[in-house]
Amino acid sequence: MSKYVNAAAAAALAITSVMTPVSAHAFTNAGNAVPADSRNDVVLVAQKKQVAEKYKRRVVHLVTDEKPGTIIIDTNNKFLYYVEGKNRATRYGVGVGRDGFGWSGVVKIGRKAEWPEWRPPASMRAREAAKGHILPIVQKGGPDNPLGARAMYLYKGGRDTIFRIHGTNQPWTIGQNMSSGCIRMMNKDVEHLYARADVGTKVIVVGPGNRQGEVSFQDKGIDILRTMFGG
């Protein structure tokens, strides 16, 4: 008799050893379990859109006669350059105005703000209301604010142009024509630029209309040595 008991025990041990480990949760609320043949085994995972590699911040060779500290925004190629002198610049990817909202000109940073409030212009509120989208008169700063982490307000002749260089809570729009004329950057990039560009900084926006006048700049590509060793 004992040999049969031992054989049964050995068989049970063998079966146990090959079973797939089961979570304790599998035995919770067993009475409410859904029949296996009616379960949905498709798991939807939200995929975040990624910013294209070419729009990530880079140190580049930029040939220009503009003074160090100048910002050049090439809206055609979706790049913003912070000129550093000696044919050097930091290049950032940006999002720009959609069709009908592009512009060009020479302006200055009139003021700066961290985690700024968003005050959409009355014309924007009316335009969006016609589409059934009601915009706030003012939205406090924060992670959900369309202006993102920082804003640099662009002025012309001492007056606010209503255009800004600002962050965004939609980083996947970098490299696209999506805005109402403002220049948007990834939050980490706008914070980086904000720390370098002071009030009074000259900003040249190269875009439709060529109102920026003559401006010479040529992007010669990534500065490999600075990328590898800094400086």
Side-chain angles (χ1 to χ4, degrees), residues 6 10 20 23 42 69 107 114 132 169 175 224 228:
N6 291 337
T20 301
S23 168
V42 177
V107 292
E114 299 185 12
N169 55 14
I224 300 299
M228 293 178 61

Side-chain angles (χ1 to χ4, degrees), residues 105-119:
V106 180
V107 292
K108 291 184 178 182
I109 295 177
R111 69 183 183 92
K112 301 166 57 176
E114 299 185 12
W115 294 106
E117 292 182 336
W118 181 45
R119 296 177 179 270

